[in-house]
Amino acid sequence: MVKLKKYNRFLKLFVIFLTLISIFSCCTKNYNLTKIEGKQLPVAENSAQTPEIEKFIKPYRDHINKDLDSVLAYCPETLDKSTGKWQTTIGNLLADVCLERGNKVFKTRENKNVDLCFLNHGGIRAILPKGNVTTRSAFEIMPFENNLVVLALKGDQILEITSYIIREKKPHPLSGMTFTIAKDNTAKNIMIQGKPLDVNKTYYVATNDYLANGGDNMSFFAKNIQKYDLNYKLRNLLIDYFKEVDTIPIPRDIRITEE
């Protein structure tokens, strides 16, 4: 009986040993990668939803949509950036708003006035359609996290801005400055805040931080004497403006003319 128990114990240990050897052999077996396959899984509105996740995020989505769709003002006509050779209504509006609201902050902080605003045509990402203007409208027009900055520039750099506009042939948003494009493609009759350009004077130019850092090849901004970051996102600036006005004014004044 004792011998039988010892034999059974030995047999169990032997089986365990063989099992461990088998596992170890499997784990140390070499594998070679022979093929990689993949496929695109698009995420779309009609993609399958997980009920538990949908239930969890629904209150947050509803809250955000309520804020985004809140009516702030009314726009009497559609403003877009495709109509106009040297300027557009939406570009003029955006530059005017940045100049006006940026000046309030700059005046309070630095006791100085912003002279003009210059932005990029490509930065406007959507139209402002006729009808109710909402918070969502501002997010669609300005989806980026760009801040408004003010740069101190000499008159020579203002001349570079006009040269850039003429060379680019795009209706970049401009406010606070007007000029005429001569037949030789140079700028003349440059007026800033209604006064002739003084190349020896320091001007304060509002723009966004992307352009201030040389974006869109605006290297003239790098020659600034001083830089002031207003920590005011262009999108929030638009939202604050929309909240203050009942009906959006349509800027129709001519800022750039040709001979």
Side-chain angles (χ1 to χ4, degrees):
M1 191 68 168
V2 174
K3 289 183 177 181
L4 182 60
K5 288 183 177 180
K6 288 183 177 181
Y7 176 78
N8 289 336
R9 190 180 301 116
F10 173 80
L11 185 60
K12 288 181 181 179
L13 291 173
F14 184 74
V15 171
I16 293 172
F17 175 76
L18 291 178
T19 302
L20 291 174
I21 291 296
S22 177
I23 294 173
F24 181 78
S25 298
C26 291
C27 291
T28 57
K29 186 175 181 180
N30 293 324
Y31 293 93
N32 294 319
L33 181 64
T34 59
K35 187 178 182 182
I36 297 177
E37 292 183 339
K39 62 179 181 179
Q40 187 176 16
L41 299 175
V43 178
E45 291 283 344
N46 57 357
S47 298
Q49 296 179 341
T50 303
E52 292 80 6
I53 297 178
E54 181 64 22
K55 182 179 179 181
F56 178 78
I57 66 174
K58 186 179 185 304
Y60 300 97
R61 180 193 290 117
D62 291 345
H63 179 72
I64 291 173
N65 284 333
K66 182 179 179 181
D67 287 342
L68 289 176
D69 294 328
S70 58
V71 177
L72 306 179
Y74 177 79
C75 189
E77 65 180 71
T78 297
L79 308 184
D80 64 62
K81 68 174 190 177
S82 62
T83 305
K85 181 178 179 181
W86 295 109
Q87 59 187 30
T88 65
T89 49
I90 193 170
N92 284 357
L93 176 68
L94 183 59
D96 287 350
V97 173
C98 287
L99 179 59
E100 176 191 332
R101 297 201 64 84
N103 191 53
K104 291 180 180 179
V105 177
F106 193 57
K107 181 71 173 178
T108 301
R109 293 184 186 178
E110 305 295 334
N111 197 29
K112 297 181 176 71
N113 292 312
V114 179
D115 296 295
L116 64 106
C117 175
F118 182 58
L119 302 169
N120 59 326
H121 177 257
I124 305 172
R125 309 304 280 192
I127 66 171
L128 185 61
K130 177 181 179 180
N132 290 333
V133 177
T134 65
T135 303
R136 190 185 299 276
S137 303
F139 272 84
E140 290 172 343
I141 295 170
M142 281 288 154
F144 311 113
E145 297 298 307
N146 295 122
N147 282 339
L148 189 69
V149 300
V150 176
L151 303 175
L153 299 177
K154 284 295 186 181
D156 288 339
Q157 279 69 64
I158 304 301
L159 287 173
E160 289 187 51
I161 292 177
T162 61
S163 297
Y164 178 88
I165 294 172
I166 296 170
R167 184 173 64 253
E168 284 282 300
K169 292 182 171 61
K170 293 180 181 177
H172 294 294
L174 178 67
S175 180
M177 179 170 72
T178 62
F179 64 92
T180 298
I181 302 174
K183 292 180 180 179
D184 61 354
N185 279 333
T186 59
K188 69 177 190 178
N189 301 328
I190 303 171
M191 307 290 286
I192 299 179
Q193 294 297 327
K195 298 179 180 179
L197 171 69
D198 182 349
V199 293
N200 297 312
K201 182 180 177 180
T202 297
Y203 292 94
Y204 295 97
V205 182
T207 188
N208 65 52
D209 52 359
Y210 166 70
L211 300 178
N213 292 325
D216 277 10
N217 297 315
M218 295 190 185
S219 56
F220 43 82
F221 279 145
K223 301 174 184 178
N224 69 83
I225 302 170
Q226 196 164 1
K227 178 180 178 181
Y228 307 85
D229 190 338
L230 302 188
N231 293 313
Y232 198 175
K233 295 189 185 305
L234 268 67
R235 180 177 57 244
N236 293 342
L237 183 148
L238 268 181
I239 292 172
D240 290 343
Y241 172 76
F242 291 154
K243 288 178 178 178
E244 284 188 357
V245 297
D246 178 70
T247 301
I248 305 297
I250 311 300
R252 303 188 188 279
D253 56 308
I254 305 301
R255 303 175 188 193
I256 301 175
T257 57
E258 293 181 87
E259 282 189 335

